[in-house]
Amino acid sequence: RERERGRERRRAAGMSGVYIDGQVLGKRLEEICKKAWESSSSSSSSFMAGSDEDGGKKRTVDAVAIITGKSTEELRYMKSIALEMWLFAYELPETLLVILRNRKVHIVTGKTKANLISQAKEVVKSQYGIDMDIHIRAKGTTGEDHFKSVLEEVKKQSGGAEKPLLGVLSKEKHEGTFFETWNACVDKESAAKDLIKADVSAGFASVLSVKSSDEQTNSKKAAYLSSQAMIKYVIPQVETIIDEEKKVKHSTLSSLIEDRLLEPSKLEVRLKRDKVNTCYAPIVQSGGTYDLKITAQSNNEVLKYDTIVVSLGARYASYCSNVSRTMFVDPTKQQEKYYGALLKAHGACMSAMRPGNTLSSAYAAAVESFNESGCPELTKHLANRYIGFGMGLEFKESAFNVTEKNEKKFETGMVFNVSISLSGLRNEDEKSRGEQPEEYAMQVSDTVLVKQQDEPCELLTDVPKSWKDISYILNEDDEDEEEDKENQRGERRRESKVKTEGEVLPAKRSSALRNRPEERAAVDENSEALRREKQEELTRKVNEETLRYLTQSKHADDNDKSKEVKDPVAYPSPVDIPHSSKDGLIKVDQRAETVILPIYGVSVPFHISVIKNVNNSNDNDHSFVRIIFHSPSAMSALRDSVLVQRHIQNAFMKEISFRCTDVRHANRLVQDIKTMRRLVQQRESERLERATLVAQEKLIPGRGRVPTLNDVWIRPTLGGRGKKMTGQLQAHTNGFRYHSPKGERLDVMYGNIKHAFFQPAEKEMICLIHFHLYNDIMVGKKKSKEVQFYTEVMEVVQTLDAGRRNSYDPDEIEDEQRERERRNRVNNEYNNYVKKVQELWEKDHRELNLEFDIPFRELGFPGVPHKSTSFLIPTVYCLVDLIETPFFVLTLSEIAVVNLERVGFGLKNFDMVFVFKDFDREPHRVDAIPSTNVEQVKEWLTSMNLKYYENKMNLVWKPILKTIKEDPEGFIADGGWEFLNMEASAEEDEEEESEEFEPESSESSEEEEDDDESDFDEEDEDEDEEEEEEEEDSEEGKTWEELEAEARRDDRRKGHDDSDEEDRRKRKRRR
């Protein structure tokens, strides 16, 4: 009969299935009334509050208010939204619900929602005696008039004896004018002392804590979906990754798990897809870095085969669940012991979850279990202050955290997440831990339901967690034991097949299983041998390329001629010089950019470009103005040096000084000259920069709808005044066009693009598209070969409250979720834009061979390419740093050789020098690369077919390249770049010494020494003979001159002199 009446009401509503059950609404409103006003004082304490105005006396609130703001697509855990879902089964945005002590309910909402609620009004009134007064807010209004009338009804509840007490959810913040107007009205009444506010979050938490049979069913369905996702997808995926040695990032696996959770049919779970959602993005962690909080995110590191922690949570009809498991690959005995203690504590906590017991008793049971297991130290490693929390419509009901001091009691129908997390655990024995990280963590979480007094709590997430189900043995010292473990794994996989009813996992063993320590060492030696072999092939190739390039450049005509610089002209003729009655004063003519100086009573003009500097000094009441001119002894700028050299035969005035009695006038005069000089220099530099620019083709606008990327910033900035604004990047027929709302515009032609990069936001704050150009273009007032367009994926937030925020605070979780969604959205927008542009290039500009290059972050390493430390990331064609400015883009095809300097001294860092094929370019140095990355860098250089050498010192490359350019044939005949191979030269020296050493007599050794000395040039022989004669003939100490000469000879033999050391010291000071 009830179903028939329900169908009739739904047909009458005509809301296409949207229906509010009056029975459920009335029952749950009555439950709130009973909890707040009709229960005993002990039960209703959560709806009691006190204030200073009442002398601190606690009393029950007279009314409670629930309000929501504007609707958003983001996942939000807020008690007001949970209460609306609990009462109406829907989230009703911009709706106010005020429940009074006299069992009357005032609802302020829009017309459509008011019509929906009014269908249940009669049932609630007739069966539960609760009168609902629905106030319809007109469209476009804030509802302030309705709020005032509702507050007047609240004031009447106290009877005039006391000020009315209104219970609110004070910690919640919503968006929209509806919420803000209500708060303003309440605050106004409170300021006028006509009303007292009190927070009743704990009271509503107690109302939501006990689940009805329907709520328990929804929680069980959510938990079942989580369990099936873990059993049928997560565990098989992780096992397959380990078996097949796949390299999968944590974030990638997290996305795959989330997609599978949103498709219940793929997990063979029959649940309505529109009611399914995730509580949070699944968390996958390994490799020694663990964050066991729900707000954690899966990073972009590759999954390691050690200790793997996976957490996921599914929602069904907005009811939450959670499950976490830890898997061990080649675990240690200590890990097995600690995990066993964790499981016992987990079971002890669940056993204590019975109606009537306090939440603190469950915590004490877990701690006592650790002591009984012989692992009391694990209590100090608990990652959180709780070992569980209540859950339902809210993922975490903070009022029901299972902590040491929470004295609330378990009740039948409560749903909890039992989560024991241990962090900061250490594997002390390096020999036994193998591939396991030095520091690891463990976490086991399950969703449970509290049953009757004589029944244990029900486990809703039944996922295997015994040691044999979550441990995997890949490396065994004994082959027999290895075969036994392999058989056990085969049986476990067969059992997993029965449990998951999925595909059989591959039976092949991974290379990690085959490679014992000695075998891994052999593999490393083989890879090193292959790398050496490839480097030897590259030696011949790079020498041939160097000779070919130097020979061609030597015979090529250099047609570059310096731009002719005209002499500056102050005035075309003497009649143009301004005269006045005060010719004895220094005058600054801004129009002619000239300074007129009185010399022997005559006004002599000097153009500002011939003035090098001007300053003044004060002496009591006088000031001396000193003007310094460019002269042959003071050449600085390129333009000035050309002018000076052109007129080198003429006489130059180096400086002139004037004495001025007006100190203020002298200061102003010096300031005017300096300002004019700075402006002229700036203008000339801009003109010279523009003179070197290559003329660009004209942009052809695209037809129809062109690919557009909105809300992007540009670097370098276009300059200009006013607030910086984002703009649009459009891809037209032959180039990109960026324009901002301020009218600024920049065109980048496809034909001028040398490299195009797309770097999504992974560990950075921005998602970007970067262009490295062939020729400079003017960006604002400066020329640049680097142009970047980017979008920030995270907002800069400043926390105003001084207190520490809880990691499980709904606002914190909401912020984390919002940041993740924004990051994913921006990355997707850029990815789609790049795909469209790539299709355009392949269709219309195939001859340009343009493609977007994506940096490989896993191959990156820190270094100092300019003045600050950056994270350098290799791409297919380049080595780049696109985050820090100035940008660093190095084209690998332009590099001749790479020299690794300061390697082998046991230092923490080494340097890497890139020598270009064009010897006119100065080699680029990347300093302070951590020595732990040296093997990684070698592997990368070899894979990119780049020849590298190792040195134990820094070299001065300018004289080296000059010597090579002067005699390229001789350079190749002497072995080419092999002079950098210090290992080979050291081995040759050792061989020569071993062959020449014959310990027969002192005379023979002297003869061998003479033979060795014959290898040096005549000058060195003469110097050595003189040195020996001085040592034999003189027993006196050497003079300073002799010691310095000896030091210079030693420096020449070692291949570097004092100038090298000075350059090295200068370079260190610059760093």
Side-chain angles (χ1 to χ4, degrees):
R1 286 196 297 270
E2 284 296 328
R3 287 197 192 96
E4 291 297 330
R5 285 197 293 268
R7 290 193 189 99
E8 291 177 1
R9 284 194 294 269
R10 283 194 289 272
R11 282 195 296 269
M15 299 295 290
S16 64
V18 179
Y19 161 71
I20 293 178
D21 193 334
Q23 293 281 349
V24 174
L25 177 59
K27 182 179 179 181
R28 293 180 176 176
L29 285 173
E30 186 179 47
E31 189 173 343
I32 294 176
C33 293
K34 287 182 177 180
K35 282 273 188 179
W37 298 294
E38 300 174 12
S39 300
S40 61
S41 59
S42 60
S43 302
S44 61
S45 59
S46 53
F47 279 94
M48 297 179 68
S51 66
D52 296 335
E53 298 176 10
D54 293 337
K57 178 183 176 182
K58 282 194 173 184
R59 58 189 177 93
T60 307
V61 295
D62 299 305
V64 292
I66 305 167
I67 185 171
T68 55
K70 280 187 175 181
S71 175
T72 61
E73 296 180 358
E74 301 169 352
L75 177 61
R76 299 182 299 172
Y77 293 110
M78 305 182 77
K79 204 169 293 296
S80 56
I81 297 176
L83 285 166
E84 281 192 350
M85 296 291 297
W86 185 64
L87 292 170
F88 304 106
Y90 301 101
E91 178 183 351
L92 303 179
E94 296 190 326
T95 298
L96 170 67
L97 185 74
V98 178
I99 306 172
L100 304 179
R101 181 192 289 271
N102 60 2
R103 298 174 67 88
K104 189 171 183 178
V105 179
H106 290 271
I107 301 174
V108 180
T109 187
K111 182 178 180 181
T112 304
K113 289 168 283 188
N115 293 335
L116 183 63
I117 299 172
S118 62
Q119 302 296 329
K121 181 177 180 179
E122 182 179 353
V123 177
V124 174
K125 175 66 175 177
S126 60
Q127 296 190 18
Y128 298 96
I130 298 176
D131 186 19
M132 293 196 304
D133 189 3
I134 303 175
H135 307 259
I136 301 177
R137 177 173 65 93
K139 190 173 182 180
T141 62
T142 60
E144 184 176 0
D145 51 343
H146 298 296
F147 295 155
K148 291 180 179 178
S149 62
V150 171
L151 290 174
E152 288 299 323
E153 292 295 325
V154 172
K155 293 178 185 178
K156 297 177 183 178
Q157 300 304 307
S158 63
E162 294 176 317
K163 293 180 181 178
L165 191 60
L166 175 64
V168 296
L169 300 171
S170 58
K171 295 182 180 180
E172 295 196 352
K173 304 295 180 184
H174 292 270
E175 298 178 359
T177 56
F178 183 82
F179 175 79
E180 294 171 356
T181 304
W182 163 256
N183 274 349
C185 292
V186 174
D187 292 339
K188 183 178 180 180
E189 295 290 342
S190 178
K193 298 185 178 181
D194 295 330
L195 188 73
I196 301 174
K197 292 192 302 182
D199 184 62
V200 289
S201 300
F204 282 128
S206 64
V207 171
L208 296 173
S209 61
V210 179
K211 311 298 187 290
S212 64
S213 58
D214 292 339
E215 293 177 276
Q216 293 178 23
T217 300
N218 291 333
S219 296
K220 290 179 179 179
K221 289 181 178 179
Y224 181 72
L225 179 58
S226 296
S227 303
Q228 294 304 300
M230 184 69 76
I231 293 172
K232 293 187 176 181
Y233 189 75
V234 176
I235 295 176
Q237 278 290 108
V238 172
E239 290 179 346
T240 302
I241 291 170
I242 296 173
D243 264 348
E244 297 182 359
E245 293 186 335
K246 294 181 178 179
K247 292 186 178 180
V248 180
K249 295 181 180 179
H250 296 146
S251 56
T252 302
L253 184 55
S254 172
S255 300
L256 294 173
I257 297 171
E258 186 173 12
D259 294 341
R260 191 56 58 98
L261 273 172
L262 297 175
E263 295 287 344
S265 59
K266 294 183 179 181
L267 298 170
E268 300 178 1
V269 177
R270 296 181 179 179
L271 292 176
K272 294 182 179 179
R273 187 177 181 278
D274 58 341
K275 290 189 175 183
V276 171
N277 205 340
T278 57
C279 299
Y280 56 90
I283 306 170
V284 183
Q285 303 176 86
S286 67
T289 303
Y290 303 92
D291 184 0
L292 302 183
K293 299 177 181 178
I294 300 300
T295 55
Q297 294 183 11
S298 301
N299 58 33
N300 291 317
E301 300 295 331
V302 176
L303 183 74
K304 301 293 190 304
Y305 309 150
D306 45 30
T307 302
I308 304 170
V309 180
V310 181
S311 301
L312 60 92
R315 300 173 72 202
Y316 182 77
S318 298
Y319 285 83
C320 301
S321 66
N322 187 53
V323 61
S324 300
R325 288 293 181 266
T326 305
M327 290 169 273
F328 300 88
V329 181
D330 293 328
T332 63
K333 294 295 184 182
Q334 182 198 60
Q335 288 178 323
E336 183 177 0
K337 176 184 177 182
Y338 282 172
Y339 185 80
L342 184 148
L343 284 186
K344 289 182 180 178
H346 189 274
C349 180
M350 290 177 58
S351 299
M353 289 183 168
R354 295 176 182 266
N357 292 347
T358 61
L359 273 64
S360 59
S361 64
Y363 187 94
V367 174
E368 182 62 24
S369 177
F370 282 138
N371 297 332
E372 293 176 357
S373 300
C375 303
E377 66 274 12
L378 294 183
T379 305
K380 300 179 181 179
H381 290 280
L382 287 171
N384 303 305
R385 293 178 296 176
Y386 52 81
I387 59 172
F389 49 83
M391 65 190 322
L393 290 168
E394 288 185 281
F395 180 78
K396 181 175 178 291
E397 296 175 351
S398 302
F400 288 88
N401 284 346
V402 182
T403 62
E404 186 178 9
K405 299 180 180 180
N406 196 339
E407 296 302 318
K408 290 186 172 62
K409 295 183 178 181
F410 292 104
E411 295 181 44
T412 302
M414 287 184 171
V415 176
F416 281 84
N417 179 45
V418 181
S419 177
I420 299 185
S421 308
L422 301 176
S423 63
L425 302 173
R426 302 184 68 83
N427 281 310
E428 302 294 344
D429 190 359
E430 295 184 1
K431 295 182 179 179
S432 63
R433 67 185 176 94
E435 299 295 330
Q436 284 289 332
E438 183 179 354
E439 185 170 325
Y440 66 98
M442 295 187 293
Q443 184 178 50
V444 175
S445 303
D446 282 302
T447 305
V448 300
L449 172 65
V450 180
K451 304 292 285 185
Q452 300 293 334
Q453 178 66 42
D454 54 347
E455 295 179 18
C457 62
E458 180 182 356
L459 179 63
L460 302 184
T461 50
D462 190 13
V463 179
K465 55 178 176 286
S466 64
W467 179 253
K468 69 175 184 179
D469 292 317
I470 53 86
S471 61
Y472 303 86
I473 309 299
L474 299 184
N475 293 321
E476 284 289 332
D477 296 331
D478 187 35
E479 291 184 0
D480 295 333
E481 292 181 7
E482 184 175 329
E483 292 178 0
D484 294 338
K485 295 296 182 179
E486 180 67 15
N487 295 333
Q488 293 178 11
R489 273 196 305 277
E491 293 176 2
R492 191 180 308 146
R493 293 193 188 108
R494 287 193 291 273
E495 293 174 2
S496 177
K497 177 184 176 183
V498 175
K499 291 179 182 179
T500 62
E501 297 181 358
E503 296 180 357
V504 182
L505 294 175
K508 70 174 183 178
R509 296 160 65 188
S510 64
S511 62
L513 177 64
R514 294 192 299 271
N515 291 343
R516 300 195 185 107
E518 61 274 10
E519 293 176 350
R520 286 198 296 270
V523 171
D524 293 340
E525 291 178 1
N526 292 335
S527 62
E528 179 68 21
L530 292 174
R531 190 168 65 193
R532 286 178 178 270
E533 182 179 348
K534 190 169 184 179
Q535 285 292 319
E536 290 177 0
E537 296 177 1
L538 292 173
T539 301
R540 177 182 53 81
K541 181 180 178 181
V542 72
N543 285 336
E544 293 176 355
E545 290 182 353
T546 302
L547 178 60
R548 183 170 58 253
Y549 182 84
L550 290 175
T551 305
Q552 293 174 356
S553 61
K554 185 176 182 180
H555 298 288
D557 293 330
D558 187 10
N559 295 323
D560 293 337
K561 296 181 179 179
S562 58
K563 300 286 183 179
E564 183 179 357
V565 181
K566 297 181 179 180
D567 291 344
V569 177
Y571 298 101
S573 63
V575 297
D576 297 324
I577 301 176
H579 296 277
S580 65
S581 58
K582 298 181 179 180
D583 288 336
L585 295 179
I586 300 175
K587 288 170 284 188
V588 178
D589 188 351
Q590 299 287 351
R591 182 183 59 82
E593 298 175 352
T594 301
V595 179
I596 302 174
L597 303 179
I599 301 178
Y600 296 112
V602 180
S603 297
V604 182
F606 292 87
H607 195 271
I608 192 65
S609 61
V610 302
I611 298 177
K612 180 182 178 183
N613 195 8
V614 59
N615 55 58
N616 66 322
S617 58
N618 298 328
D619 184 13
N620 295 330
D621 296 336
H622 301 84
S623 180
F624 292 89
V625 178
R626 181 188 179 195
I627 301 175
I628 304 172
F629 301 92
H630 286 294
S631 62
S633 60
M635 294 185 296
S636 58
L638 177 62
R639 173 187 173 92
D640 298 332
S641 63
V642 172
L643 293 176
V644 169
Q645 292 176 3
R646 181 183 300 170
H647 303 282
I648 195 68
Q649 301 299 329
N650 298 349
F652 286 83
M653 182 169 62
K654 188 173 182 180
E655 65 178 74
I656 188 171
S657 299
F658 294 89
R659 181 172 176 269
C660 182
T661 57
D662 190 346
V663 176
R664 295 179 60 183
H665 173 70
N667 293 336
R668 184 171 63 254
L669 189 67
V670 170
Q671 188 64 32
D672 290 344
I673 297 175
K674 287 184 176 181
T675 302
M676 184 170 62
R677 182 174 176 273
R678 184 179 68 253
L679 293 176
V680 171
Q681 285 183 339
Q682 182 178 354
R683 185 193 64 201
E684 288 299 311
S685 62
E686 291 180 4
R687 186 185 64 82
L688 291 175
E689 284 186 351
R690 292 183 180 274
T692 59
L693 296 177
V694 177
Q696 301 290 324
E697 58 182 317
K698 189 176 181 180
L699 183 79
I700 302 175
R703 296 181 179 179
R705 190 172 182 179
V706 298
T708 303
L709 195 60
N710 297 314
D711 298 328
V712 296
W713 300 92
I714 183 173
R715 291 195 295 183
T717 58
L718 295 177
R721 297 181 179 180
K723 183 180 178 181
K724 299 294 184 292
M725 303 177 69
T726 59
Q728 283 187 338
L729 179 64
Q730 296 178 339
H732 291 276
T733 303
N734 63 336
F736 294 97
R737 169 162 288 179
Y738 172 83
H739 58 87
S740 67
K742 296 169 59 177
E744 299 168 329
R745 191 173 70 181
L746 178 70
D747 295 340
V748 180
M749 299 296 107
Y750 297 151
N752 194 27
I753 296 176
K754 186 175 183 180
H755 298 293
F757 304 98
F758 164 51
Q759 184 169 334
E762 294 181 357
K763 292 188 177 181
E764 293 82 12
M765 301 281 288
I766 61 174
C767 180
L768 62 90
I769 291 175
H770 186 97
F771 299 119
H772 178 67
L773 309 179
Y774 285 107
N775 302 310
D776 293 290
I777 62 173
M778 293 301 296
V779 182
K781 295 183 178 181
K782 296 182 179 180
K783 65 178 182 179
S784 175
K785 281 188 177 181
E786 314 292 338
V787 182
Q788 184 178 112
F789 306 95
Y790 69 95
T791 299
E792 296 178 351
V793 298
M794 294 181 67
E795 299 177 355
V796 179
V797 179
Q798 182 179 4
T799 304
L800 299 179
D801 54 342
R804 297 177 60 186
R805 299 183 66 180
N806 191 347
S807 60
Y808 287 96
D809 184 15
D811 294 337
E812 188 77 12
I813 297 175
E814 182 182 351
D815 292 342
E816 295 278 350
Q817 184 69 13
R818 187 185 301 113
E819 290 176 0
R820 278 196 298 271
E821 291 179 356
R822 175 175 171 79
R823 182 187 297 270
N824 294 334
R825 177 174 57 81
V826 172
N827 285 342
N828 290 334
E829 289 177 357
Y830 271 71
N831 191 31
N832 294 333
Y833 181 77
V834 166
K835 288 180 179 179
K836 293 178 182 178
V837 173
Q838 192 70 51
E839 292 174 358
L840 175 64
W841 285 347
E842 293 177 357
K843 179 182 177 182
D844 301 331
H845 303 278
R846 191 179 297 271
E847 71 282 356
L848 297 177
N849 293 324
L850 289 174
E851 63 176 338
F852 279 97
D853 204 354
I854 300 178
F856 302 108
R857 187 174 182 84
E858 58 272 13
L859 300 178
F861 52 88
V864 183
H866 297 294
K867 294 183 179 180
S868 60
T869 302
S870 305
F871 190 75
L872 307 179
I873 308 178
T875 70
V876 176
Y877 305 107
C878 301
L879 178 66
V880 301
D881 170 35
L882 306 177
I883 303 299
E884 302 294 335
T885 53
F887 303 118
F888 176 68
V889 179
L890 188 69
T891 305
L892 301 181
S893 60
E894 299 175 353
I895 297 172
V897 294
V898 180
N899 194 39
L900 307 180
E901 301 180 349
R902 295 193 304 116
V903 177
F905 273 131
L907 301 176
K908 294 183 179 180
N909 302 314
F910 70 96
D911 304 331
M912 181 163 52
V913 179
F914 296 94
V915 182
F916 298 100
K917 296 177 182 177
D918 182 5
F919 282 15
D920 293 331
R921 291 180 63 181
E922 184 178 353
H924 193 97
R925 179 183 300 275
V926 177
D927 297 324
I929 303 174
S931 298
T932 54
N933 296 100
V934 65
E935 293 300 323
Q936 174 188 343
V937 170
K938 290 179 182 178
E939 287 290 343
W940 167 67
L941 292 173
T942 304
S943 65
M944 302 306 297
N945 294 326
L946 290 175
K947 176 62 182 175
Y948 70 84
Y949 293 94
E950 293 184 46
N951 282 278
K952 297 181 179 179
M953 63 187 73
N954 291 114
L955 302 180
V956 181
W957 285 95
K958 189 173 182 179
I960 293 175
L961 296 182
K962 182 180 179 181
T963 304
I964 296 173
K965 286 164 54 177
E966 290 174 351
D967 185 13
E969 290 83 0
F971 168 70
I972 300 300
D974 293 338
W977 293 105
E978 282 301 298
F979 79 94
L980 295 173
N981 192 352
M982 295 301 182
E983 294 182 1
S985 59
E987 291 176 359
E988 292 175 1
D989 294 340
E990 290 177 1
E991 291 177 359
E992 291 177 0
E993 290 177 3
S994 62
E995 291 175 357
E996 295 166 356
F997 178 71
E998 294 179 3
E1000 293 180 356
S1001 64
S1002 59
E1003 294 179 0
S1004 62
S1005 61
E1006 291 176 0
E1007 292 176 359
E1008 294 296 332
E1009 291 176 1
D1010 294 338
D1011 294 338
D1012 293 340
E1013 291 171 359
S1014 64
D1015 295 336
F1016 297 97
D1017 55 15
E1018 296 178 358
E1019 181 182 354
D1020 290 341
E1021 286 183 1
D1022 295 339
E1023 292 175 353
D1024 292 343
E1025 290 175 1
E1026 292 175 2
E1027 181 181 346
E1028 290 176 0
E1029 290 176 359
E1030 290 174 358
E1031 290 177 355
E1032 293 175 358
D1033 298 339
S1034 176
E1035 295 181 357
E1036 298 179 359
K1038 297 180 180 179
T1039 64
W1040 284 109
E1041 291 77 6
E1042 293 171 348
L1043 291 173
E1044 289 177 356
E1046 182 180 355
R1048 283 195 295 271
R1049 287 196 298 272
D1050 292 338
D1051 287 339
R1052 278 199 296 273
R1053 291 175 185 175
K1054 294 178 182 178
H1056 62 283
D1057 53 12
D1058 294 341
S1059 62
D1060 297 354
E1061 186 65 28
E1062 291 178 4
D1063 292 339
R1064 190 154 52 248
R1065 286 197 297 267
K1066 291 178 181 179
R1067 188 161 56 251
K1068 288 182 179 179
R1069 285 197 295 269
R1070 286 198 298 270
R1071 286 203 297 267

